[in-house]
Amino acid sequence: MAFAPSPIPSRTQYVLEAIKHDILTGGLRPGQALVEAELAARFGVSKTPVREALKTLAGSGLVVMNQYKGVTVRMVDADMARAVYDVRLLLEPEAVRRAVASGAPLDEAREALERAAGAEDPAERSLANRAFHRALYLPCGNPLLGRMLDEVRDQAALVSTVAWAAVPSWEREAAEHQEILRLAAAGDVEGVGRAVHEHIASFVERAFPQSPLISE
């Protein structure tokens, strides 16, 4: 008999989401140390939920656990960015094609773009952009494909946070998002797939021009 995994305790989930938010919005920088005692004091909890949250974040690739250096926010370099975005290039255009071919509604994607356009800071804009991409690929009809993209979603967001700090190209990306949405609304399955591929590839090439993507 199969058993469902136990849900994450509420305190651990709270700490997990708070730390993840700080990492993905630049509040915690790559390489920054994450000290259990300091985080426990900050969130008003014991070290146990902090420790469990950090283990989960390590599993998703946002933090690194080292026996000697402790826990730090993952550093972003060209190799890491190339690997993450190569997975997106292999999977996301096809997922979006399938979602558009199935006639999936685009309301959530439109709302995400509106939030991004009205964002008052890079953190809010980054979260809205993540929601836009997920709204397009998740209705692909293959839950495993959606989960695979979700697994690299946080790492991709970490890459974009670092890249935007160095190369603030969000205006160009906003225009590309609008074109992707236009093609999706028109039901242009192949066109939207190409646009998503070009959008993903061009971003990492601008941010890390020294290293071409694997799939090119």
Side-chain angles (χ1 to χ4, degrees):
M1 179 177 178
F3 292 93
S6 300
I8 297 176
S10 58
R11 288 186 178 182
T12 300
Q13 187 67 43
Y14 165 69
V15 173
L16 170 66
E17 294 301 328
I19 296 174
K20 180 191 289 187
H21 182 273
D22 283 353
I23 291 173
L24 297 182
T25 57
L28 293 170
R29 306 298 299 169
Q32 185 170 339
L34 300 175
V35 181
E36 286 184 12
E38 293 177 357
L39 292 170
R42 172 186 169 188
F43 297 119
V45 299
S46 68
K47 290 183 181 180
T48 299
V50 172
R51 187 176 302 118
E52 293 304 313
L54 292 176
K55 287 179 181 178
T56 301
L57 290 168
S60 67
L62 287 183
V63 307
V64 176
M65 289 183 159
N66 185 285
Q67 182 178 356
Y68 303 104
K69 296 181 180 179
V71 183
T72 57
V73 179
R74 183 170 183 175
M75 295 293 293
V76 174
D77 59 21
D79 288 340
M80 179 268 197
R82 186 176 65 245
V84 170
Y85 273 69
D86 192 57
V87 172
R88 289 188 66 193
L89 277 175
L90 290 169
L91 300 180
E92 192 167 334
E94 179 60 23
V96 175
R97 286 189 193 98
R98 294 185 180 193
V100 171
S102 72
L106 300 170
D107 294 345
E108 289 187 19
R110 289 193 181 93
E111 290 171 4
L113 281 196
E114 290 174 3
R115 292 201 306 274
E120 297 182 356
D121 58 59
E124 184 181 354
R125 187 180 303 118
S126 176
L127 293 172
N129 284 343
R130 292 176 68 211
F132 171 74
H133 279 273
R134 191 170 194 263
L136 288 179
Y137 72 65
L138 200 61
C140 64
N142 185 328
L144 178 58
L145 179 55
R147 287 197 299 271
M148 291 172 70
L149 282 164
D150 274 352
E151 286 180 2
V152 299
R153 185 168 171 248
D154 288 344
Q155 294 182 55
L158 180 59
V159 172
S160 67
T161 297
V162 173
W164 274 1
V167 185
S169 57
W170 64 268
E171 290 184 349
R172 172 173 173 172
E173 285 135 36
E176 292 172 353
H177 285 166
Q178 290 289 352
E179 176 62 8
I180 289 169
L181 184 60
R182 184 191 70 79
L183 292 166
D188 187 344
V189 175
E190 292 307 315
V192 76
R194 286 193 299 271
V196 171
H197 187 283
E198 291 169 3
H199 171 68
I200 295 169
S202 64
F203 175 80
V204 77
E205 288 303 322
R206 288 196 300 274
F208 300 93
Q210 66 271 37
S211 300
L213 283 166
I214 297 168
S215 59
E216 290 190 333

